[in-house]
Amino acid sequence: MSKAPILGLMTALLMSTSALAEIKIAHIYGKTGPFEAYAKQSHVGLEMGIEYATGGTWEINGEKIVIVEKDTQLKPDIGKALLEEAYGDDEVDLAIGPVSSGVALAMLPVAEEYEKILIVEPAVADSITGSDWNRYIFRTGRNSSQDAIANAIALGGDNVHIATLAQDYAFGRDGITAFREALDSKGFSIAHEEYAPTDTTDFTASAERIFNAMKDLEGDKKLFIIWAGGGNPMSKINAMDPSRFGIEIATGGNILAALKAYKEFPGMEGATYYYYELPDNPVNDWLVKEHFARYDSPPDFFTAGGMAAGIAAVEAIKKAGSTDTEALIAAMEGMSWETPKGTMTFRPEDHQALQSMYHFKTVVKDDVDYGIPSLVRELTIEELPIPIRNQ
């Protein structure tokens, strides 16, 4: 055989091997169901994060990044099976997701079984990086404690009485537990706790119990609501006129569609994870500019989170020099990286991303169809003593 065919064959083999070199990332999230809007934002943000971190090439050291999408339908058993499929059949290098805390809790043991990284984004329950955590879990999203402590700083005070209303599942229960602890640490307490099923549409009974618990108290009175997805009770409870008992409604931040309800509450205060006008840094500047250019709208709450996860995955692989799990863990523990919210850092003890939050006051403008979270001040990592709950 002449040298030319041999060289041609070797070139073809090298090209074939090069073409097969991929970094596979599974995005396992609730594309359908009540959190569909959250999921869409998360995926857009993830793609923009990978684009930003790779300078638009979608490559790390010549290896192409491929996203494998899977829809949990917000069902824990499906989420668990899809993560098994991603790690096993699809042979992904790492996974990102899901939207729901309940689904996330079902997925955590799968990461441990397959010894593969799962970056949790945006599921919030404290138990994800707490009692149910394992060493393969990293979370770029905020946790319930970060929400709670930030809101406690924004809302708590002397002679302030706070009642709570939350959904009766991991997100709501963990959120109120963390909020109660945050208030306790400052010498304050919750006057009444109320929980309702996620599909509740009639909040009359819950509101009456809250009103009865609060009406005779002296001082400032606030009803702090934690609610995810559709059916947010803010407007329905406001229609029952809590102000006749001196009760003001308060809540944390949310997606732009949910902020439409905030227009009923000018001056309402709380703390938020993200609103596109609040952070001041180059990554957020890029995200806002590009999102407006591509979608004719601002990036939303979970767009920023998805971007943070995408950048984290790329930076971790670069730092580790490979997709080997142990190398990634070593690279990610204590890793800091830049996001639309500024610098985030994976805490080595529980792999929770430490990050800023934002104290806001709602401003209403005639030409904007939602209540605008106007910045009171940034709450920095140093101001948010987030408990370590996995020990």
Side-chain angles (χ1 to χ4, degrees), residues 36-57:
E36 182 179 347
Y38 300 179
K40 183 177 180 180
Q41 294 171 25
S42 184
H43 191 71
V44 168
L46 174 62
E47 291 185 326
M48 294 183 77
I50 292 172
E51 176 185 345
Y52 181 87
T54 61
T57 66

Side-chain angles (χ1 to χ4, degrees), residues 36 39 42 70 96 128 137 155 209 227 244 339 366 372:
E36 182 179 347
S42 184
K70 296 180 184 291
I96 296 172
I128 293 167
I137 306 305
L155 301 175
R209 285 190 290 270
W227 206 266
R244 72 185 190 271
T339 81
D366 291 339
I372 301 168

Side-chain angles (χ1 to χ4, degrees), residues 23-24 63 93-94 116 317 320-328:
I23 295 169
K24 296 173 75 173
E63 294 186 270
D93 296 295
L94 58 89
K116 291 280 189 178
I317 294 168
S322 76
T323 56
D324 172 75
T325 297
E326 291 302 319
L328 285 173

Side-chain angles (χ1 to χ4, degrees), residues 307-323:
M307 186 173 186
I311 297 173
V314 172
E315 293 303 320
I317 294 168
K318 287 180 179 177
K319 185 179 177 184
S322 76
T323 56

